[in-house]
C-alpha cells in the first residue's frame, strides 16, 4: 500500500493532468472563441459590456464569503455542511440580484436602459453560478478532477459557440448575455449531474458557524480582490468612452491569458497547500516545484506581449484593435507577475492566513486608487496600466514576505534565470526589428517566435535543471518519491 504522503502527491499530479489537461484544451478553444466574438462585435460593444460586467462584479461582492472554498478547506466533511453551504449561497445570490435591480434603475437613467437590462440579466445568471459551487466543491473534495474538468470544458465552450452564432446573426451585445446565461445553466446542471451531492435540507446553524469561521475573514480579502479586479475597468468606462474601455479591457484580458490558463493549477495548489499546511518541509517543496514551472511558462507568453505587441494584436483581434497594442505592451509585466502573485496568495489561503491577505489587499488598494484617480484627472489610460503593474509587483513582494517562514531562497533565486532570459529575448528582438531583419517575416509568425526564443535562452542558462524537475514530477506520479 502506498504511503499517505506519496499517494497524496501522486493523486495531485494525476489531478493536475486531468484538470489541467481538460481545462487547457477547454481554455484553448474558449480563447479562440472569445477572440472571434471580439472580432465580430468590435471595440464599442465589447467596451459597453465590459462596463456592465464591472458593475455586476462589484455588486456581487457578496460572493466573497467564498463558501465553496470553505467547504474544500474545512478539516471535516458532512452532508450538513454541504446543505448549509447551499442555503447560504442561495441567499447570497438573491442579495446580489436585488442589488442588481436597485442599481439598474439608476444605471438606466444615467447610461441607458440597455445597460440596465444587461445588468439584471447577469444578476439572474449569478444566482445559479453560486449554487453550482456546492456540487463542484464536493467533486474537488473527492479529488474527482476529471469530472471537474468536464464541467468546465462543456460550460466554458458551448456558450461561446452559441454566442458566436448569435453575434454573426446580428444579436449584438445580447449574444454576450446569452453566453453568460447558458454558462450558468450548464455549470449548475452538470455539477449536480456529475457529483454525488443532493440537497436534503440537513443544514444547521452549527455548520453555518463552522463555515463562517473561514468565510468571514475571507470576505474582506476576496471583496478587496473583487474591487481590484474590476475598479480599473469601471474608472476607464466612466472617465473615458465605451470604445476606449473596449481597447483597455481586451488588452487586459490578453495579459491575463496565462493566469486563466493556469487557473486549474491554482485550485489544485490551494487544495494541496491546505493539506500540507502542518508540514513545512513538504509545503515548501510543493510550492517550489509549482513556482518553478509556473514562472517559466508564463514568461514565455510575456515575451510575445513585450517584443511583438502590435503583431500579437493584429494576429488575434485584427487591425481594428491595433490601438490596444501599446496598452498590451505596458501590461506585459502585469501578465508575468500576476500568476506568481496568485500562487503566493493560494499559499496564504491554504495556510489559513486570511487576515494577512486582507492587509495585503488594503496596501495594494492604497497604491491602485490614487493611480486610477490620476488617470481620470489627466485622461491618460497608460497611467491605469502603470498603476496596475505597480500594484501587482507590490503584492508579490508583500506575499513573499508573509510566507518567508516556510519558503526557501529569495525572489532573485526564483526570478533570476527566467528574468534574464526574458531580458535577453527583448534585447535580441529589439535589435532584429531595428535592423529590419524581421521585415520579410510574416507578422503572424512573430508572436510564436518570441516564446520559442525565450525557451532556448532558458535552456542555455539552466542546462539540465528543467529536466531534473520533470524527473521529480515523474517520480511523484509513479509513487516512488
Amino acid at each position: 500500500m502506498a504511503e499517505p504522503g506519496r499517494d497524496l502527491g501522486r493523486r495531485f499530479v494525476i489531478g493536475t493532468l486531468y484538470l489541467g489537461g481538460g481545462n487547457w484544451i477547454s481554455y484553448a478553444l474558449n480563447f479562440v472563441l472569445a477572440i472571434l466574438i471580439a472580432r465580430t462585435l468590435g471595440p464599442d460593444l465589447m467596451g459597453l459590456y465590459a462596463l456592465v460586467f464591472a458593475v455586476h462584479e462589484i455588486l456581487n461582492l457578496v460572493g466573497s464569503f467564498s463558501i465553496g472554498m470553505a467547504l474544500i478547506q474545512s478539516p471535516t466533511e458532512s452532508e450538513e455542511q454541504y446543505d448549509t453551504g447551499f442555503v447560504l449561497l442561495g441567499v447570497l445570490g438573491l442579495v446580489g440580484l436585488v442589488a442588481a435591480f436597485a442599481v439598474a434603475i439608476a444605471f438606466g437613467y444615467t447610461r441607458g436602459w440597455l445597460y440596465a437590462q444587461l445588468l439584471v440579466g447577469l444578476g439572474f445568471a449569478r444566482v445559479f453560478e453560486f449554487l453550482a459551487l456546492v456540487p463542484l466543491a464536493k467533486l474537488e473534495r473527492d479529488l474527482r478532477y476529471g469530472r471537474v474538468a468536464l464541467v468546465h470544458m462543456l460550460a466554458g465552450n458551448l456558450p461561446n459557440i452559441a454566442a458566436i452564432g448569435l453575434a454573426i446573426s446580428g444579436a449584438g451585445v445580447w449574444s454576450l448575455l446569452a453566453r453568460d446565461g447558458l454558462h450558468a445553466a450548464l455549470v449548475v446542471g452538470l455539477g449536480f449531474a456529475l457529483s454525488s451531492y443532493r440537497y436534503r435540507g440537513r443544514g444547521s446553524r452549527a455548520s453555518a458557524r463552522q463555515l463562517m469561521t473561514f468565510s468571514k475573514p475571507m470576505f474582506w480579502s476576496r471583496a478587496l480582490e473583487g474591487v481590484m479586479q474590476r475598479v480599473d475597468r469601471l474608472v476607464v468606462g466612466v472617465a473615458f468612452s465605451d470604445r476606449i474601455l473596449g481597447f483597455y479591457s481586451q488588452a487586459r484580458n490578453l495579459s491575463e491569458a496565462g493566469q486563466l490558463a493556469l487557473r486549474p493549477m491554482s485550485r489544485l495548489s490551494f487544495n494541496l497547500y491546505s493539506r500540507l499546511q502542518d508540514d513545512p518541509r513538504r509545503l515548501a517543496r510543493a510550492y517550489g516545484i509549482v513556482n518553478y514551472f509556473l514562472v517559466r511558462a508564463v514568461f514565455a507568453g510575456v515575451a510575445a506581449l513585450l517584443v511583438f505587441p502590435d503583431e500579437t494584436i493584429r494576429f488575434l483581434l485584427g487591425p481594428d484593435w491595433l490601438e490596444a497594442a501599446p496598452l498590451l505592451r505596458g501590461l506585459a509585466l502585469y501578465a508575468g507577475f500576476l500568476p506568481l502573485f496568485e500562487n503566493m496568495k493560494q499559499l496564504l489561503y491554504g495556510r489559513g492566513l486570511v487576515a494577512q491577505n486582507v492587509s495585503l489587499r488594503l496596501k495594494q488598494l492604497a497604491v491602485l486608487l490614487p493611480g486610477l484617480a490620476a488617470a481620470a484627472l489627466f485622461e491618460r489610460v497608460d497611467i491605469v496600466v502603470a498603476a496596475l503593474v505597480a500594484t501587482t509587483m507590490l503584492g508579490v513582494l508583500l506575499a513573499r514576505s508573509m510566507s518567508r517562514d516556510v519558503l526557501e531562497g529569495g525572489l532573485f533565486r526564483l526570478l533570476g534565470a527566467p528574468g534574464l532570459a526574458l531580458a535577453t529575448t527583448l534585447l535580441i528582438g529589439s535589435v532584429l526589428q531595428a535592423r529590419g531583419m524581421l521585415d520579410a517575416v510574416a507578422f503572424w509568425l512573430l508572436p510564436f517566435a518570441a516564446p520559442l526564443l525565450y525557451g532556448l535562452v532558458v535552456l542555455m542558462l539552466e542546462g539540465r535543471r528543467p529536466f531534473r524537475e520533470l524527473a521529480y514530477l515523474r517520480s511523484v506520479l509513479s509513487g516512488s518519491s
Side-chain angles (χ1 to χ4, degrees):
M1 184 175 180
E3 295 178 19
R6 292 180 179 177
D7 182 60
L8 177 62
R10 183 174 182 274
R11 293 177 74 187
F12 271 97
V13 173
I14 292 174
T16 301
L17 295 177
Y18 273 122
L19 189 57
N23 276 272
W24 287 325
I25 293 172
S26 175
Y27 175 75
L29 293 172
N30 198 16
F31 183 77
V32 172
L33 295 172
I35 290 297
L36 291 175
I37 292 173
R39 277 176 169 265
T40 303
L41 296 181
D44 293 287
L45 288 181
M46 293 299 294
L48 185 159
Y49 197 74
L51 176 58
V52 175
F53 197 80
V55 175
H56 163 73
E57 288 287 281
I58 291 175
L59 288 177
N60 278 280
L61 291 179
V62 290
S64 302
F65 280 106
S66 306
I67 302 298
M69 290 182 69
L71 291 170
I72 296 173
Q73 199 268 351
S74 175
T76 61
E77 183 182 17
S78 68
E79 288 295 326
E80 281 189 1
Q81 280 187 333
Y82 287 115
D83 284 355
T84 302
F86 189 80
V87 172
L88 290 174
L89 285 165
V91 171
L92 292 175
L94 291 176
V95 170
L97 180 58
V98 171
F101 271 105
V103 174
I105 297 174
F107 211 12
Y109 280 110
T110 57
R111 296 289 293 212
W113 291 105
L114 175 59
Y115 295 81
Q117 294 170 51
L118 292 171
L119 184 62
V120 172
L122 286 172
F124 276 106
R126 184 53 60 91
V127 174
F128 293 98
E129 289 181 352
F130 277 6
L131 296 178
L133 293 173
V134 177
L136 291 178
K138 175 61 176 173
L139 286 172
E140 292 203 43
R141 284 293 299 234
D142 295 341
L143 301 182
R144 305 299 295 269
Y145 287 114
R147 296 188 178 188
V148 176
L150 180 61
V151 172
H152 289 291
M153 181 179 294
L154 295 176
N157 290 286
L158 293 180
N160 269 322
I161 294 173
I164 288 176
L166 289 171
I168 292 174
S169 67
V173 73
W174 292 104
S175 59
L176 296 175
L177 180 61
R179 176 196 63 186
D180 292 336
L182 182 56
H183 174 271
L186 284 172
V187 75
V188 72
L190 291 170
F192 277 100
L194 295 176
S195 76
S196 61
Y197 172 71
R198 297 293 181 271
Y199 179 72
R200 296 182 174 86
R202 296 178 181 175
S204 68
R205 292 184 179 181
S207 294
R209 285 193 296 269
Q210 184 177 352
L211 292 175
M212 282 299 176
T213 299
F214 177 85
S215 295
K216 281 182 179 179
M218 278 292 292
F219 172 80
W220 297 108
S221 178
R222 295 294 296 275
L224 289 170
E225 181 179 327
V227 170
M228 294 188 63
Q229 182 66 21
R230 293 295 166 182
V231 69
D232 59 326
R233 291 179 172 94
L234 186 60
V235 169
V236 173
V238 172
F240 299 91
S241 64
D242 288 345
R243 184 175 180 81
I244 296 299
L245 176 56
F247 289 130
Y248 172 79
S249 182
Q250 205 63 28
R252 181 169 175 182
N253 288 343
L254 291 176
S255 71
E256 292 176 348
Q259 171 58 26
L260 291 176
L262 293 168
R263 185 171 288 173
M265 185 183 292
S266 294
R267 293 202 301 273
L268 284 161
S269 61
F270 169 71
N271 202 339
L272 179 60
Y273 299 154
S274 296
R275 292 170 185 254
L276 297 179
Q277 58 184 298
D278 297 323
D279 190 341
R281 182 185 64 82
R282 293 177 65 208
L283 179 61
R285 178 56 174 148
Y287 175 82
I289 193 71
V290 169
N291 258 352
Y292 178 83
F293 288 106
L294 183 150
V295 171
R296 283 149 185 81
V298 169
F299 276 25
V302 170
L305 308 187
L306 200 58
V307 183
F308 302 116
D310 291 78
E311 292 79 4
T312 301
I313 287 289
R314 187 178 173 192
F315 170 65
L316 292 174
L317 296 171
D320 291 343
W321 288 84
L322 282 176
E323 289 182 51
L327 300 174
L328 185 61
R329 171 171 274 172
L331 288 168
L333 288 179
Y334 168 72
F337 283 98
L338 178 62
L340 178 61
F341 171 66
E342 288 296 322
N343 190 42
M344 291 179 174
K345 188 182 68 179
Q346 295 304 322
L347 178 63
L348 293 174
Y349 282 144
R351 298 177 65 202
L353 303 179
V354 180
Q356 284 84 340
N357 259 312
V358 174
S359 172
L360 186 157
R361 285 302 193 182
L362 286 172
K363 292 173 182 176
Q364 285 186 300
L365 206 58
V367 172
L368 180 62
L369 291 181
L372 296 180
L377 178 64
F378 295 105
E379 298 183 348
R380 292 184 54 181
V381 184
D382 58 329
I383 297 179
V384 179
V385 172
L388 191 62
V389 172
T391 299
T392 307
M393 295 178 71
L394 174 64
V396 169
L397 293 173
L398 293 174
R400 183 81 184 184
S401 175
M402 292 174 180
S403 296
R404 62 182 178 273
D405 57 320
V406 297
L407 302 183
E408 300 175 355
L411 277 177
F412 180 79
R413 179 179 176 183
L414 175 65
L415 299 175
L420 180 58
L422 184 62
T424 302
T425 303
L426 176 60
L427 176 62
I428 294 173
S430 299
V431 170
L432 293 176
Q433 284 181 308
R435 295 187 176 182
M437 299 175 68
L438 300 177
D439 293 347
V441 180
F443 79 91
W444 56 270
L445 285 174
L446 296 177
F448 300 98
L452 178 61
L453 176 60
Y454 168 82
L456 293 174
V457 176
V458 167
L459 290 177
M460 291 175 61
L461 291 174
E462 295 198 299
R464 297 192 57 81
R465 185 184 176 188
F467 301 101
R468 290 197 299 270
E469 298 292 356
L470 283 172
Y472 172 77
L473 286 180
R474 284 198 299 269
S475 68
V476 171
L477 183 60
S478 65
S480 61
S481 176

